[in-house]
Amino acid sequence: MSNPALSRGKYALLPLVVFLILFLGSGFYYQSQQVEYAFYQLPAPVAVLPAILLAVWLSRESLNHTIEGFVQGVGHPNIITMCLIYLLAGAFSSVASVTGGVDATVALGLSVIPAQLLLPGLFILGAFVSTAMGTSMGTLAAMAPIGLGMADATGIEPAMMAGVLMSGAIFGDNLSIISDTTIAATRTQGCQMRDKFLENLRLALPAAIVTLVILAFYTPLTSALPETEGNGWLAIPYLLILGLAVAGLNVFAVLSIGIVSSALMGFWQADYAISGLAQDIYTGFGQMQEIFILSLLIGGLSELMRRQGGLEYLVGRITALAQKLSPDDKASHSFAIALLSSLTNLCVANNTVSIIVAGEAARQLASHADIPPKRSASLLDIFSCIVQGLIPYGAQALLLGASFAISPVALIPYVFYCYILALVAVSVVGWKLVRP
C-alpha cells in the first residue's frame, strides 16, 4: 500500500519544477533570439518567486504558519552563514582586483612558464588564479584576453586555448576554499572547508596530473610567449589566504585578513588609495547580490518543500534507483548524490545554484548512509563543476565563446580536465557500486 504522505510529497516538488521551467524556458527563448548570455536574462532570484508562491498555495498549513516556515528556512544558520561568506569573498575579490592582484598573479605565472610547456603552464596558471580568486568567471574574464593573444601569437586553435582556460578555471572553482561552490557545499552538508578541500584533492589532483600530460603533447613548438607586466608583490594576498585556509583558520578570519592585506599591499606597491577601500568592499558586496538573494529564497523554498514531504519523496526515489545498482548504502547513496548534483546543474546551468537546490536532499542521503559530510560536500561540488564546464549554455562557455569569437560548443571537446575528472570520479563511485 502506498504511503499517502509520501505520495503527496511528489506534488511538493512542483514549485521546483516551475522554477526550472521558467529559468530554462526563458534561456532557450532568448537563445533562439540570439541574445547574449541568454540563460541569464531572467535573473534566478526573480524566476524563483512564482515557485515560492506555488509552494505557499500548496501548503496544508495556515498562511501564517506557512510564512513562518518560509522565514525559518530563509534564516537557517547555514543559509545566513553562507551569505555572509559570500559577501566577504566578493569584497576580497573586488579589492584584490582593483589593487592589481589578478594581473600580478597572471604575469607572475607567465614569467615562469617555459614556451615548450605553454598549454600545461596555462592550465596551472588558470588553476592557481581560480583557486586564489574563488571564481571561475573572474578567472576567465581576466585570462581570456591573454589566452587570445597567445593563440594569435602561436597559431594554437582558439577553441583549444579556450578549453585549456576552462579546465584551469573549473579546477580552481571546484577546489578553492573561498569559491561560492565550496561555501555552498560545506554549509549545506555541515563540514569544514579544509576537510572538503582535502577530500576533493584526492580526486582532483590525479585528474589534473593526467590533464597536464595530455596538454604537453598538444603544445606546439614555440620560442617565446607574449610579454606581460605585473608586480609580484601584489600576488602575496592570494598566497596568504590559501595558506591560512589550508591551515584551518576560520574562513571569516581568512577573508578579513585577505581584504586588509590586499589593501595594504596595494597602498604600498600600487598607489592604491585607502580612502576608496569602503567603496571597493561595497562593490564586492554588490557582485554577490544575485547569489545572496537566491540563497535566501531557495532556503525558504526548501523549507516549505521539506515540510510538505517533497525532499523526502525526492530522496526516496533517488535512493531506490541507486539501490537497484548496489545493496551497499554508502555506495548507492554516493551515486545518488552525484546523480542529483549533475542533473540539477544540467537544469539550472549554474553550479552554485545547483548545490543550493540539491544541498538538503544530498544531506539527507548522506545521513541515511552514514556518509561523512566532507564526502557528500565533495561529491556535490565535483559533479556540479564537471557539468558546468561541459555545458555550452553555461556562463563560462558563453564568456569564452564571446571572448574568442567562437561558438561555445566549439570549446567543449577541449575541456580535457572535466572529462578526466568525470572519469576519475565516476570510476571511484562506480567501483564502490560494483565491488562484492
Side-chain angles (χ1 to χ4, degrees), residues 182-201:
T182 295
I183 295 168
T186 54
R187 297 315 305 179
T188 59
Q189 302 309 296
C191 70
Q192 296 297 317
M193 292 185 177
R194 177 177 180 273
D195 294 337
K196 180 262 183 187
F197 173 84
L198 295 175
E199 182 74 15
N200 250 25
L201 197 62

Side-chain angles (χ1 to χ4, degrees), residues 312-324 332-333 335-341 343-344 361 365:
E312 182 183 357
Y313 173 82
L314 180 63
V315 168
R317 293 303 296 265
I318 293 179
T319 301
L321 172 63
Q323 286 180 331
K324 290 180 180 179
S332 62
H333 285 55
F335 171 78
I337 292 171
L339 179 63
L340 178 65
S341 179
L343 292 178
T344 306
L365 285 166

Side-chain angles (χ1 to χ4, degrees), residues 376-391:
S376 60
S378 175
L379 290 171
L380 268 179
D381 203 342
I382 284 176
F383 282 92
S384 68
C385 284
I386 288 171
V387 172
Q388 188 66 26
L390 296 177
I391 52 175

